[in-house]
Amino acid sequence: MFVSGQVDPFHHLKILPNSDGTITRLRADPLTHPTSDATVPIPVLTQDATINQSSKTFARIFLPRRALHNSSKNLPLIVYFHGGGFVLFSAATHFFHDACLNLAKDTNSIVVSVDYRLAPEHRLPAAYDDAVEALHWLKSNPHDWLRNHADYSNCYLVGSSAGANIAYHAALRVAAQTNSHGINYLEPLKIRGLILSQPFFGATQRVPSEVRLAEDPVLAPHVCDVLWELSLPVGVDREHEYCNPRGGDGGVILERVRELGWRVLVSGCHEDPLVDHQIGLATLVAEKGVPVLTSFSPTGSHGAEVRDPLHQNRLHHLVQNFIAPPPSIHNLSPQNSA
């Protein structure tokens, strides 16, 4: 699984494999509780809402306080999926809670962070199923905050790391099910684009950035291998479409994404071992004629856009500009790498 001298990936991830195929998570990352009391002087209010009681999935809603005092204009709706290699963390994990709170504040948007089932107890495509179910829940059971303050016609799917992978595959499912006449089964919810922050993808063959950063202290390639082994369906390898976006029918469905007029933002950091996979994803999307904006910082490790304030601010500035009205695909070049 890993060669002598490399960090034990299970020790690095703070997990223990169990004989029944589950894992024991040893991490003790603090959880943040929501605060919905409008009398508390905070810039963003938060509240949890159950999506599927049997699956134990829920949404954490982040509402900028200023929305309570401006009923004349509804805010963009961001549906967010947290990272963690499909096996760790939740929407309540403190750094993802803080990142979503800042995203709502910095972009003046309502953020709905989806808590999905984790692998290996629930291998892919369980997280994709939960993501699409969350979109149906938004359509059919709008929370009061969403009903009163969200612009359902201006929705973006956003994710970090594995969450960006989930956002991408959820979008492909939605696009595939939108018929040739443009009838959207999620009406009144209208997706305008995807924002993929340091997306988690891979393949069986190492790309140059993985070779260059083979001993990366944050997310070395052999650690990624274990995450994929824990999350992919049993019996498939990293050429599967869930891991490698050039596999399966994803390329064909991207043509439907182009027809729907969606836009895509891919961001990342050049000190992330996965950066070449991320650039490859953006290249694939651009090849299919989908308007793509890319921005890659010369510094920063995997997860920097969540945990590092400077990289987080940079990302939120990109998001703010990307979702700013009026949305116009004509002013975006097919690819604009930094």
Side-chain angles (χ1 to χ4, degrees), residues 18-264:
N18 300 320
S19 59
D20 62 357
T22 64
I23 61 172
T24 299
R25 296 166 177 85
L26 304 176
R27 301 183 64 96
D29 300 285
L31 302 179
T32 301
H33 296 289
T35 304
S36 59
D37 186 351
T39 65
V40 178
I42 51 178
V44 177
L45 305 177
T46 54
Q47 191 170 125
D48 290 346
T50 299
I51 295 176
N52 186 317
Q53 190 169 7
S54 62
S55 299
K56 299 181 179 178
T57 57
F58 68 90
R60 176 158 294 185
I61 306 170
F62 297 78
L63 177 71
R65 172 184 291 277
R66 69 186 76 173
L68 298 175
H69 309 292
N70 184 7
S71 59
S72 62
K73 181 182 179 182
N74 286 349
L75 303 182
L77 177 60
I78 290 176
V79 183
Y80 182 89
F81 303 96
H82 69 81
F86 305 106
V87 308
L88 295 170
F89 310 131
S90 81
T93 301
H94 72 103
F95 46 82
F96 283 115
H97 172 95
D98 291 349
C100 287
L101 187 150
N102 290 335
L103 180 61
K105 175 172 61 71
D106 294 343
T107 65
N108 196 30
S109 303
I110 296 178
V111 176
V112 176
S113 181
V114 176
D115 196 72
Y116 52 86
R117 290 171 293 172
L118 299 177
E121 294 82 2
H122 305 281
R123 289 177 175 266
L124 296 175
Y128 306 153
D129 296 340
D130 293 344
V132 174
E133 183 178 40
L135 297 177
H136 279 282
W137 173 81
L138 284 168
K139 167 196 172 181
S140 305
N141 302 284
H143 185 277
D144 284 347
W145 284 358
L146 302 175
R147 184 184 301 108
N148 295 330
H149 303 292
D151 182 357
Y152 266 52
S153 69
N154 193 20
C155 176
Y156 291 85
L157 305 188
V158 181
S160 170
S161 187
N165 178 300
I166 295 169
Y168 177 80
H169 282 286
L172 292 185
R173 288 191 178 191
V174 172
Q177 295 177 23
T178 302
N179 70 25
S180 59
H181 299 292
I183 296 177
N184 173 17
Y185 71 98
L186 287 175
E187 286 280 1
L189 193 68
K190 292 184 179 179
I191 297 170
R192 299 297 185 183
L194 313 179
I195 299 169
L196 310 178
S197 167
Q198 301 188 271
F200 187 71
F201 287 93
T204 54
Q205 184 173 353
R206 298 287 194 235
V207 291
S209 60
E210 290 176 312
V211 175
R212 174 171 58 89
L213 298 166
E215 303 302 323
D216 181 71
V218 177
L219 192 66
H222 72 281
V223 176
C224 290
D225 294 347
V226 169
L227 291 171
W228 286 116
E229 289 172 13
L230 292 171
S231 57
L232 285 171
V234 175
V236 308
D237 62 20
R238 295 194 303 276
E239 292 306 309
H240 191 276
E241 62 191 281
Y242 296 166
C243 178
N244 186 345
R246 290 190 178 272
D249 298 326
V252 175
I253 301 173
L254 282 172
E255 296 175 359
R256 186 79 190 104
V257 170
R258 181 197 67 230
E259 294 169 0
L260 291 169
W262 295 357
R263 302 174 297 137
V264 177

